Amino acid sequence: MATLKADKDPMGQAISDYFHTGKAKKLRVLSSMFDEDEIPVKHLFRSFEQMAPLEQKALLLAKGKILDCGAGSGCHSLALQ
């Protein structure tokens, strides 16, 4: 499986940098579906206890087999284990 170069996958590179070094800057998120936003990369590594109450409730209501597509760093997948 080929991996994308950092200039083609900035989110993946930011996640990798934070995972390996504990340091990464903010990610700028652009979409036609919502306003431009910036998120700190460490936000993608939060624990269940650090998640917003609505996220926690959704995770607690999840039942059966779950496919976490576009999982980013996988913090929701880890909480669902």
Side-chain angles (χ1 to χ4, degrees), residues 46-65:
R46 66 199 183 284
S47 67
F48 178 83
E49 293 76 22
Q50 295 169 316
M51 292 178 191
L54 185 59
E55 281 179 285
Q56 292 179 0
K57 184 66 174 178
L59 292 169
L60 292 171
L61 291 172
K63 302 287 183 219
K65 294 181 181 181

Side-chain angles (χ1 to χ4, degrees), residues 20-39:
H20 291 293
T21 68
K23 299 177 184 175
K25 296 186 178 181
K26 294 178 182 177
L27 281 172
R28 179 171 287 156
V29 182
L30 305 170
S31 173
S32 60
M33 295 172 26
F34 49 83
D35 293 335
E36 181 178 329
D37 196 11
E38 286 188 351
I39 57 170

